[in-house]
Amino acid sequence: MTLLVDEQVNIHIRWRGGRTQSLSVTRPRPMSVIRTTPAQVMALMNELLETANDQQIAGPLNELGLATGAVNPSH
């Protein structure tokens, strides 16, 4: 078996009987990228932090449908 990793993950398998098979899948993005809170949400939170508490910040974020990087609504 040969494993080649780039933007695509390519796997080449040679089976016991001599038959070969190749598989190719898109490499997943790292969790640190997937779970990053969007810049729009961070900017709004930073703006609201000057004058509001956590509950007062969560309300507008939820009304706008904005979520954290973990895709959770604000609490």
Side-chain angles (χ1 to χ4, degrees):
M1 178 168 84
T2 305
L3 177 63
L4 303 173
V5 180
D6 195 13
E7 291 298 315
Q8 290 276 99
V9 177
N10 300 304
I11 303 169
H12 305 288
I13 305 167
R14 183 182 308 252
W15 298 100
R16 216 180 280 174
R19 185 173 153 250
T20 61
Q21 184 176 5
S22 295
L23 304 169
S24 184
V25 295
T26 303
R27 186 177 183 180
R29 297 181 304 159
M31 287 305 291
S32 60
V33 173
I34 293 170
R35 294 191 67 149
T36 299
T37 299
Q40 176 189 13
V41 174
M42 292 300 297
L44 182 55
M45 285 175 59
N46 286 333
E47 181 182 318
L48 293 172
L49 278 172
E50 298 295 325
T51 59
N53 63 31
D54 290 353
Q55 295 247 340
Q56 293 167 327
I57 292 171
L61 292 175
N62 289 332
E63 286 174 15
L64 293 171
L66 300 175
T68 65
V71 193
N72 296 325
S74 301
H75 295 96

